[in-house]
Amino acid sequence: MHVCLLPAEILLDIFAIIHEDYNSVISHATLAALARTCRTFKEPALDTLWKHIDGFEPLILCFPEGVHDRDMLGLGKLTFIRPPFAREWSIFSQYAHRIRSLTFEPSESDVIDDRIVQALISAPSLALLPNLCRLHWFNDQECFIPLLRCLLVPTIRSLELRSSSSGTSWVPSFAKSALLTSLGARCPSIQEFKCVYQSDSEDNSDIISDAVCGSRELFHLETGVLNTQALYHLASLPSLKSLYFRTYNIDSTQTDGPEFISQINLVHIAAPSLFALAHCLRNIRFLCCRSVALDIDLNPWGAPYDPLVVPEFIISFSKHFSPALEHLSVSFEPPLFSLEDEDILADSHFALAFDVIAPLLSLSRLTKVDLDWICASAIDDASLKRMAQSWPLLQEFYFGSGCRWLVPPSLTFIGFIYLIQHCPALRTIDMTFCACSVDTDSEPFTKTIPNENITNIFVGMSPIVDPVAVACQLHTLVPNLSGVDRFGPLLDVDPTSQFRNIDEGWAKVDEFLMVLNTAAKMRKSGDQATHECPDAP
């Protein structure tokens, strides 16, 4: 069949490959040339060429000469010499109706001037881009809000509002609030909505919550603080699969919140403190959730966490999340590895007992556990064995290694062996333990099947004795291990003898692992040669 006789759907697929596989300059030129080749190619090539645009410059340049120009006094911004006439807007519309996706960056203020904005918001068509499905608005300037209003059409399925492409929040203002309150009516079919309307004002929380309540087809939501009404609305949506929101210090008299009974793939909650997070989890339930990530703001002037609050947090979490949970991640922002206060790092009060962690053992389907911020120095080998037996599907394990704790660990190399023995799918281990020689002729060492998935481990501030023995044990249990990462020495801190020279000790382990791995490769090559030439002398 001649290429010109191919169905339009196949031509669109071909042109999409051209658009994706080449850089923008080459692909745009190629598609433009294809659009001029024949009538059959014209429509699908133009649809592909104009499917996504960055900013309005490409559309403005479609107007005839004499309508637009560069304002040399305005640093070369695009401007209109005069308002476009109706017949000239029809040229604009020929391309505007093809656009499905638009990204509007902060740099647009350097590209188009006020005249362009005024003309666009006064266009004859009620919908500037009538078939727009995806809008990424990375701009915080008030002068562009009327233009944004013109872009919010019923066809929009994905909307992201923030101050810049690298930023996270959209700074509140009256104009933005007024726009958000009309979002449900303007874009009733939004499926993906990202807008962290960040501030300490309860009014702003109500505004973004009102916008959320107007959306009934949400699939993914990423926003700031939500009120109770919005959370109840979200809990009623069977379409919701991914949720990010922020909590705050709620009144302790608040009654129980909603139950999310539909299947949610990811829940991400940020909180100003561990106390606020614990209280939030007491008032909301996720009965069918696969993955949860919890972010806590680190207090730069105080302790990283209150050990008395952690048990309440763990209990609330274990009761209000699904037993089918697969991923659990709790982290501080900024991470605790930057903490260098010796009085805190060496304080044994931060060490959490096994009883604190024990409620999480009921989550038997966990494949990822990230609790690297806790001080796990009170957890011993027997406790870690119970944890490993409770989480047999574990693939990623981050435990007590995210901070330079100077409290001597109770865990030893035996605990590491239990982890390898009972969690055969493990591929990532980040934990702190006392690395020492063990009896390799008895259990549990002799009963442990080597793990070939792990190629690197992180040991934090793990003390080490007898690096040669440790390297040999690691190589036997984890034969593909190529190196061991750890924290560097703390400056201006004089740790106890157990923590001195740990970097040198683990450096020796790296050296011995290199020798052992080289010997293993040579032995493997020799075995292959013998197998291929069994009769060779």
Side-chain angles (χ1 to χ4, degrees):
M1 180 184 289
H2 193 277
V3 67
C4 291
L5 300 178
L6 291 174
E9 293 79 6
I10 296 179
L11 288 175
L12 281 171
D13 289 339
I14 295 172
F15 295 158
I17 293 172
I18 293 173
H19 188 263
E20 293 170 2
D21 287 358
Y22 298 93
N23 66 57
S24 59
V25 175
I26 295 175
S27 65
H28 288 178
T30 302
L31 289 169
L34 287 168
R36 295 190 294 267
T37 300
C38 64
R39 292 182 180 179
T40 304
F41 286 2
K42 180 180 178 181
E43 292 302 315
L46 286 177
D47 285 343
T48 305
L49 181 62
W50 287 93
K51 185 176 182 179
H52 172 81
I53 63 170
D54 292 311
F56 279 91
E57 183 175 7
L59 279 170
I60 302 304
L61 295 177
C62 291
F63 285 105
E65 292 184 10
V67 178
H68 63 81
D69 199 358
R70 296 283 180 182
D71 180 7
M72 292 300 104
L73 297 179
L75 301 177
K77 292 183 182 181
L78 270 176
T79 187
F80 277 135
I81 301 172
R82 60 166 175 80
F85 298 143
R87 63 180 181 275
E88 293 162 342
W89 277 113
S90 66
I91 299 173
F92 177 96
S93 299
Q94 290 178 21
Y95 302 102
H97 82 276
R98 304 177 190 274
I99 296 171
R100 301 294 187 270
S101 172
L102 169 68
T103 299
F104 195 85
E105 298 277 1
S107 58
E108 283 300 300
S109 59
D110 299 324
V111 179
I112 59 176
D113 71 353
D114 292 341
R115 284 191 170 192
I116 298 286
V117 175
Q118 292 165 9
L120 289 174
I121 63 178
S122 304
S125 174
L126 293 177
L128 198 61
L129 305 180
N131 296 314
L132 190 65
C133 298
R134 178 174 172 265
L135 175 58
H136 286 180
W137 188 269
F138 303 147
N139 194 289
D140 214 25
Q141 299 172 74
E142 296 285 299
C143 62
F144 290 123
I145 296 300
L147 181 56
L148 172 59
R149 188 181 299 113
C150 294
L151 297 172
L152 297 179
V153 292
T155 55
I156 287 201
R157 298 292 182 269
S158 176
L159 176 62
E160 185 170 2
L161 305 171
R162 55 183 175 178
S163 299
S164 66
S165 56
S166 58
T168 55
S169 63
W170 209 37
V171 179
S173 71
F174 183 84
K176 295 172 186 172
S177 296
L179 185 68
L180 286 170
T181 55
S182 67
L183 187 62
R186 292 175 180 274
C187 309
S189 301
I190 287 182
Q191 297 176 352
E192 181 181 38
F193 182 39
K194 299 180 182 180
C195 178
V196 182
Y197 204 48
Q198 196 66 27
S199 78
D200 297 327
S201 169
E202 187 173 342
D203 291 339
N204 288 328
S205 171
D206 290 340
I207 287 166
I208 196 68
S209 296
D210 183 72
V212 168
C213 289
S215 303
R216 302 187 178 279
E217 299 180 19
L218 281 173
F219 179 88
H220 172 82
L221 175 64
E222 185 174 327
T223 187
V225 176
L226 295 172
N227 61 25
T228 304
Q229 181 183 3
L231 289 172
Y232 270 102
H233 170 71
L234 292 171
S236 71
L237 299 180
S239 59
L240 189 66
K241 298 302 178 186
S242 178
L243 173 62
Y244 174 101
F245 69 97
R246 185 172 178 83
T247 187
Y248 55 94
N249 290 306
I250 312 170
D251 183 356
S252 60
T253 61
Q254 180 177 337
T255 58
D256 284 350
E259 289 188 355
F260 287 74
I261 59 175
S262 61
Q263 176 69 53
I264 298 182
N265 294 329
L266 172 63
V267 172
H268 194 153
I269 306 175
S273 66
L274 189 62
F275 173 80
L277 183 58
H279 189 85
C280 171
L281 295 181
R282 286 207 310 266
N283 294 287
I284 189 169
R285 292 174 174 83
F286 295 92
L287 303 183
C288 297
C289 177
R290 292 184 57 194
S291 178
V292 59
L294 306 173
D295 291 341
I296 306 162
D297 296 342
L298 179 63
N299 180 1
W301 299 284
Y305 59 85
D306 184 348
L308 299 179
V309 175
V310 177
E312 177 189 359
F313 160 69
I314 295 291
I315 291 172
S316 296
F317 183 92
S318 63
K319 288 182 177 180
H320 291 191
F321 275 88
S322 166
L325 189 71
E326 297 177 13
H327 293 179
L328 165 60
S329 176
V330 184
S331 60
F332 280 83
E333 294 294 336
L336 290 184
F337 64 73
S338 58
L339 184 63
E340 295 187 356
D341 187 329
E342 184 177 2
D343 292 336
I344 292 177
L345 295 176
D347 189 344
S348 60
H349 289 94
F350 289 105
L352 303 179
F354 173 69
D355 291 344
V356 176
I357 307 297
L360 296 177
L361 301 189
S362 61
L363 306 175
S364 60
R365 298 187 62 181
L366 284 172
T367 61
K368 176 181 179 180
V369 173
D370 187 350
L371 297 172
D372 71 343
W373 51 276
I374 70 171
C375 180
S377 298
I379 307 294
D380 59 18
D381 295 334
S383 300
L384 188 63
K385 179 181 180 180
R386 287 188 58 187
M387 293 164 63
Q389 290 173 329
S390 300
W391 302 327
L393 304 178
L394 211 55
Q395 298 177 17
E396 301 176 61
F397 187 61
Y398 308 85
F399 195 66
S401 59
C403 185
R404 293 178 169 89
W405 295 112
L406 297 176
V407 183
S410 301
L411 279 172
T412 71
F413 201 94
I414 295 294
F416 183 89
I417 298 173
Y418 285 140
L419 201 58
I420 299 297
Q421 183 181 52
H422 296 289
C423 305
L426 266 173
R427 62 174 187 267
T428 301
I429 297 179
D430 284 19
M431 60 179 279
T432 299
F433 61 100
C434 183
C436 55
S437 60
V438 298
D439 185 356
T440 57
D441 295 324
S442 61
E443 298 184 16
F445 195 93
T446 55
K447 296 293 184 179
T448 301
I449 299 174
N451 183 311
E452 298 183 354
N453 302 319
I454 300 172
T455 59
N456 194 273
I457 62 174
F458 182 80
V459 296
M461 293 290 290
S462 295
I464 181 168
V465 179
D466 196 351
V468 175
V470 170
C472 293
Q473 292 162 188
L474 285 172
H475 182 71
T476 302
L477 295 173
V478 193
N480 291 327
L481 186 67
S482 60
V484 179
D485 292 329
R486 61 274 181 190
F487 282 125
L490 280 167
L491 301 176
D492 302 323
V493 173
D494 184 20
T496 60
S497 58
Q498 198 170 9
F499 291 97
R500 290 182 189 142
N501 303 319
I502 60 173
D503 190 54
E504 291 84 344
W506 285 108
K508 291 181 181 179
V509 170
D510 281 339
E511 293 175 3
F512 284 117
L513 283 175
M514 187 180 299
V515 173
L516 292 168
N517 288 333
T518 302
K521 289 178 181 178
M522 293 175 64
R523 187 163 52 250
K524 184 177 181 180
S525 298
D527 291 343
Q528 287 179 342
T530 302
H531 178 74
E532 292 172 359
C533 305
D535 298 329

